[in-house]
Amino acid sequence: MLQNSKTNKPISLLCQSINIMTTLSQAYRDHPLIHLHHIVPLDFDSLRTVPDSHDWPHSSYDTLKLHTNGDVSIPLIDMSDPNVAMLIGNVCKTWGVFQLTNHGVPTSLVERAEAEAGRLFDLPMTRKLKALRAPGDATGYGLPRITPFFSKYMWHEGFTIMGSSAEHASQLWSSNYQPFCDVMEEYQKNMKSLAEKITHLILNFLKIPDDAEISNWLHSAGAAAACSTALQLNCYPRCPDPTRVMGLAPHTDTFLLTILHQSSTCGLQIFRDGFGWLPVTPVAGALVLNVGDLFHILSNGRFPNVLHRVVVDPTRRRLSMAYFFGPPPDFCVTPFNNPPESPRFRSVVVKEYVGLKAKNLECALSMIEI
Ligand SMILES: O=C(O)CCC(=O)C(=O)O
Ligand SMILES: [Fe+2]
């Protein structure tokens, strides 16, 4: 019988296990958006005023005002620092978010990916609609997944990639779509390897033993083991009256970690207890990393899953690329606690948590709280 040279497992067995494993796209398909017909973004370029559908209540307008204490800013960590594990671990505990420099992802790659994302959002709406996310699907062009939880629409258009972008890209551009696919593939590879490195540092910081299931998964993730990953391209067009709209409503991210590249236009804000909304000011060449729900669970609540949102700029459109990273949909996440500390959450399988989040958004966590 044929054998896989790395694992020495018979190929037929490997194929079987691949067939029965849930992919992240499948996990999302199992939990479709509540209002399937609400998937078409507005043609923002044609608008001179904010339509009622996108006009957020006055109360949200008030909260758009930022905390003005200039001393408080998101920590910046240099990945070449010899104490990087300690620095990242401590910041995950105290903030749940940081900016990272010297991360090893080539600037030219990030710039090419941003340029290709820009080329996508520059297309006329008739073209973008060719790659519209199908009802129940998670990939392609469309509104943010959290849309059904809010009574108003966001000033946002997005494009979601899970693995290859070829199918949707070929619908966007009948020719000349390969540069887009190539750069997005290379970008995802770089993000995956950075996410693995950071997760490894954090597991060490938490003193999670090498034989724990999460460590085993991470060790094999670099080789071939399945992961849950997605690349979300976000575009926040210019707005005639940004004080009345919301770019991306407050939310936490679902998986272990998010690695975000933001263009030089401001807009991302995080909520910090005692301070309110703080801006994550773009730093040239830095990536923004934040803790998601699954790391919050895994760390037994020690790492805050930071609440964040995006506000819109009056003069410049803003682009961002968010890479979400976590264990595969069938993986069971168990809080790591040091007795006598007791677990704060019950164990949860990733795809079950994706389902809880799809139905309950921020209440999902409280549903697995002990
Ligand atoms: O655009 C940003 O800065 C944030 C995007 C984000 O939070 C997301 O895609 O989940
Ligand atoms: Fe997010």
Side-chain angles (χ1 to χ4, degrees):
M1 185 179 283
L2 279 177
Q3 292 204 321
N4 177 292
S5 57
K6 282 197 183 123
T7 62
N8 289 334
K9 278 191 185 164
I11 294 227
S12 60
L13 273 184
L14 281 172
C15 294
Q16 269 172 23
S17 63
I18 286 165
N19 282 339
I20 55 169
M21 266 178 351
T22 317
T23 64
L24 185 57
S25 314
Q26 183 58 49
Y28 274 115
R29 267 199 294 274
D30 292 343
H31 304 286
L33 294 171
I34 296 163
H35 304 294
L36 295 178
H37 50 288
H38 288 160
I39 52 178
V40 184
L42 216 57
D43 190 358
F44 293 98
D45 286 343
S46 63
L47 297 173
R48 296 289 161 263
T49 56
V50 173
D52 183 57
S53 54
H54 289 66
D55 195 347
W56 282 61
H58 204 255
S59 55
S60 348
Y61 162 66
D62 283 340
T63 66
L64 290 180
K65 287 185 204 136
L66 282 175
H67 179 80
T68 47
N69 184 344
D71 297 343
V72 187
S73 58
I74 313 301
L76 186 68
I77 295 180
D78 180 341
M79 193 141 168
S80 62
D81 192 299
N83 292 321
V84 68
M86 192 59 86
L87 291 172
I88 290 181
N90 279 327
V91 159
C92 283
K93 236 162 78 176
T94 50
W95 282 82
V97 59
F98 56 97
Q99 303 217 48
L100 187 68
T101 56
N102 284 318
H103 40 66
V105 181
T107 311
S108 59
L109 172 62
V110 179
E111 285 171 355
R112 276 190 294 131
E114 186 186 318
E116 284 298 314
R119 187 162 79 93
L120 187 163
F121 292 115
D122 278 342
L123 288 169
M125 185 51 96
T126 47
R127 211 63 234 172
K128 288 185 277 199
L129 290 182
K130 305 252 184 230
L132 189 64
R133 192 181 303 143
D137 268 357
T139 57
Y141 177 72
L143 295 177
R145 256 192 92 74
I146 58 175
T147 300
F149 293 95
F150 300 91
S151 57
K152 297 288 177 168
Y153 288 98
M154 289 163 253
W155 204 258
H156 175 281
E157 52 182 332
F159 186 84
T160 312
I161 301 171
M162 291 178 187
S164 166
S165 57
E167 191 184 332
H168 282 122
S170 62
Q171 293 161 338
L172 289 170
W173 298 280
S174 38
S175 62
N176 202 21
Y177 63 88
Q178 204 55 46
F180 178 89
C181 300
D182 291 347
V183 78
M184 292 307 160
E185 191 181 327
E186 198 182 335
Y187 189 78
Q188 290 183 88
K189 261 192 207 146
N190 275 259
M191 287 295 124
K192 179 166 180 274
S193 111
L194 179 61
E196 282 162 9
K197 275 186 212 149
I198 305 285
T199 307
H200 182 73
L201 294 176
I202 297 178
L203 295 187
N204 281 348
F205 175 86
L206 287 172
K207 300 199 168 46
I208 295 186
D210 268 358
D211 58 356
E213 260 188 78
I214 190 83
S215 314
N216 278 332
W217 160 70
L218 190 65
H219 289 148
S220 48
C227 304
S228 293
T229 68
L231 179 61
Q232 171 69 30
L233 310 181
N234 296 305
C235 175
Y236 309 89
R238 276 187 301 268
C239 178
D241 188 352
T243 57
R244 287 167 55 192
V245 302
M246 182 67 81
L248 194 57
H251 66 282
T252 62
D253 293 339
T254 301
F255 294 94
L256 283 179
L257 277 182
T258 304
I259 307 181
L260 179 99
H261 161 73
Q262 50 176 344
S263 64
S264 57
T265 308
C266 295
L268 176 62
Q269 302 176 348
I270 60 136
F271 189 82
R272 186 149 169 85
D273 282 341
F275 292 98
W277 292 102
L278 297 174
V280 184
T281 310
V283 171
L287 293 165
V288 181
L289 278 89
N290 69 267
V291 167
D293 298 348
L294 293 185
F295 239 135
H296 181 66
I297 298 167
L298 191 77
S299 68
N300 204 28
R302 268 167 286 181
F303 292 175
N305 51 340
V306 67
L307 188 68
H308 54 285
R309 68 178 186 183
V310 177
V311 298
V312 175
D313 192 271
T315 55
R316 296 203 300 163
R317 117 172 139 174
R318 175 171 187 276
L319 295 177
S320 74
M321 304 186 286
Y323 180 82
F324 306 106
F325 176 77
D330 292 309
F331 187 91
C332 184
V333 176
T334 304
F336 180 72
N337 61 296
N338 281 321
E341 182 196 48
S342 45
R344 282 186 47 193
F345 305 97
R346 70 163 169 85
S347 299
V348 65
V349 175
V350 172
K351 67 184 174 194
E352 182 198 351
Y353 189 72
V354 166
L356 287 173
K357 195 88 187 259
K359 286 204 196 74
N360 307 285
L361 198 63
E362 300 317 321
C363 297
L365 263 184
S366 63
M367 302 177 83
I368 59 163
E369 228 162 337
I370 295 177

